[in-house]
Amino acid sequence: MATVVFAAGTDYPVFRIPAIVRAQDGTLVAFAEGRQAISDTGNIDVVCRRSSDGGQSWGPLQVVTNHGDDTAGNPAPVVLPSGRILLLTCRNAGAATEHEIMRGTAAPRRVYLQRSDDSGATWSAPAEITAAVKQPAWRWYATGPGHGIVTASGRIVVGASHSRPPAAGDTGSDPKHYGGHCVYSDDQGANWRIGFTSSNPNGYVNENETTLAELPDGRLYFNCRDRGGTGPGNRADAYSRDGGQTLEVSYRAQATIVTADVQASVLALPGGRLLYSGPSHLTDRAAMGLRVSEDAGQTWQFLRHVSGVPAAYSDLVHLGDAGVGLLYETGNWSPYDRITFTTLPGI
């Protein structure tokens, strides 16, 4: 079963950057950025739609985060055991580009938190948490995008990335300035801290958009986009034994995932396997595919194609007895024509 959740030209000219969670009552809450144009810059809102029937149909569009003419983006939702849904997002001036922010010629990004106690029907106003989750020198900042997790110990963990200030004589806009980190909360989202930080200034791995899962042994597995690094492939991964506070080893290139330079999603499956979603074309954003790891993310095997047309960003979600769901960008001639939800039974 596949349904279109966000279609370009309906409510907004363009939708990008999907994220999805399943509330405690079974409601699916799908998020995206509602944009006035394809550009990452401009007046961008974070929006959502909800489904009470497993994704067969979707309710009306809701604007969750609106900062006027500024950019709101990078939705990173997480469902708490209490039923509350938290949503982390980022904000920057609508006229500022990512490169300008990285160069320091535009103000750094800021980070916000919202809450819903009714399965996404209503949301609190955005509350700024920048001081708790961002080092003052960082310039660019991105939560997720995609779902965060609650560990077996009750810790909330959200993957994130940033850019570092450059050395003297450097502009700071080169991808080698990207770095990875996570943020976490041990009190249901009341207070937040920065976990590990991983920065590889030689450009071998340029840690960017980040996804994560908890392994059966309690370790956290982080998988990120390697944005233009010189290492093999376009993905990197790392492990944490202390709930994301530190990494065992800094991000390494993950050469068994061969894909275009693009965001992806991972999800822990029953029995200890990991599932990965992302374009399967070697160089282009196309052919959404699934990969599986039987060894805690050390190696990955291709599982199957979801589509054969253009496709880009994605997010995975557990559906209970119905298996797994996938929310992803796709289209017949462009990966940004629509955001589609599909069920993946038997995974």
Side-chain angles (χ1 to χ4, degrees):
M1 179 200 73
T3 53
V4 175
V5 185
F6 302 103
T10 301
D11 296 306
Y12 285 80
V14 179
F15 292 97
R16 285 221 54 206
I17 321 300
I20 188 168
V21 291
R22 183 174 183 261
Q24 294 289 1
D25 65 0
T27 300
L28 294 176
V29 188
F31 300 86
E33 294 180 8
R35 301 183 174 189
Q36 300 304 317
I38 193 63
S39 172
D40 294 335
T41 299
N43 181 345
I44 298 175
D45 302 329
V46 172
V47 300
C48 80
R49 294 184 70 189
R50 303 164 67 241
S51 173
S52 59
D53 56 12
Q56 298 180 62
S57 62
W58 297 86
L61 182 137
Q62 303 166 238
V63 177
V64 179
T65 316
N66 181 343
H67 293 300
D69 291 334
D70 283 356
T71 297
N74 291 91
V78 59
V79 178
L80 307 189
S82 66
R84 172 172 284 181
I85 304 175
L86 302 181
L87 177 67
L88 278 71
T89 57
C90 297
R91 177 182 183 178
N92 58 267
T97 68
E98 183 171 348
H99 286 299
E100 289 171 339
I101 294 170
M102 292 177 71
R103 286 196 299 266
T105 57
R109 278 195 130 192
R110 293 143 63 189
V111 189
Y112 289 79
L113 174 69
Q114 292 173 261
R115 300 175 175 85
S116 174
D117 290 314
D118 50 15
S119 300
T122 60
W123 292 88
S124 65
E128 187 167 3
I129 59 170
T130 305
V133 299
K134 177 181 174 293
Q135 292 185 10
W138 291 348
R139 294 177 175 179
W140 181 254
Y141 194 104
T143 45
H147 69 274
I149 67 169
V150 178
T151 68
S153 69
R155 172 171 287 181
I156 305 164
V157 187
V158 176
S161 57
H162 59 273
S163 75
R164 305 176 306 278
D170 194 339
T171 66
S173 62
D174 189 278
K176 69 181 180 181
H177 296 291
Y178 286 119
H181 69 282
C182 75
V183 299
Y184 69 91
S185 172
D186 289 324
D187 56 9
Q188 305 300 300
N191 295 281
W192 291 84
R193 295 177 176 84
I194 301 170
F196 75 87
T197 60
S198 177
S199 298
N200 188 344
N202 64 11
Y204 183 77
V205 171
N206 300 328
E207 304 96 331
N208 201 240
E209 297 160 325
T210 306
T211 181
L212 75 153
E214 185 174 23
L215 302 174
D217 62 8
R219 290 182 300 160
L220 299 186
Y221 172 77
F222 292 89
N223 187 297
C224 76
R225 176 182 178 182
D226 178 6
R227 196 161 178 180
T230 59
N234 292 309
R235 304 300 302 177
D237 54 16
Y239 298 85
S240 173
R241 290 188 176 274
D242 55 12
Q245 291 175 235
T246 62
L247 296 180
E248 293 180 351
V249 179
S250 294
Y251 276 101
R252 59 166 187 162
Q254 176 46 264
T256 64
I257 300 177
V258 183
T259 181
D261 184 354
V262 66
Q263 178 266 7
S265 179
V266 297
L267 189 71
L269 298 176
R273 296 183 303 156
L274 292 174
L275 184 66
Y276 170 102
S277 65
S280 58
H281 195 279
L282 301 186
T283 57
D284 295 331
R285 294 183 172 188
M288 180 57 63
L290 302 174
R291 290 174 169 83
V292 66
S293 175
E294 306 279 357
D295 56 10
Q298 295 182 65
T299 61
W300 292 85
Q301 296 77 45
F302 186 76
L303 186 61
R304 73 182 197 223
H305 288 109
V306 176
S307 75
V309 296
Y313 284 37
S314 63
D315 200 17
L316 292 160
V317 62
H318 283 292
L319 299 179
D321 293 340
V324 173
L326 174 66
L327 186 70
Y328 68 105
E329 299 174 334
T330 189
N332 293 329
W333 296 278
S334 164
Y336 315 123
D337 287 343
R338 58 185 180 269
I339 294 177
T340 294
F341 174 80
T342 188
T343 54
L344 306 168
I347 296 295

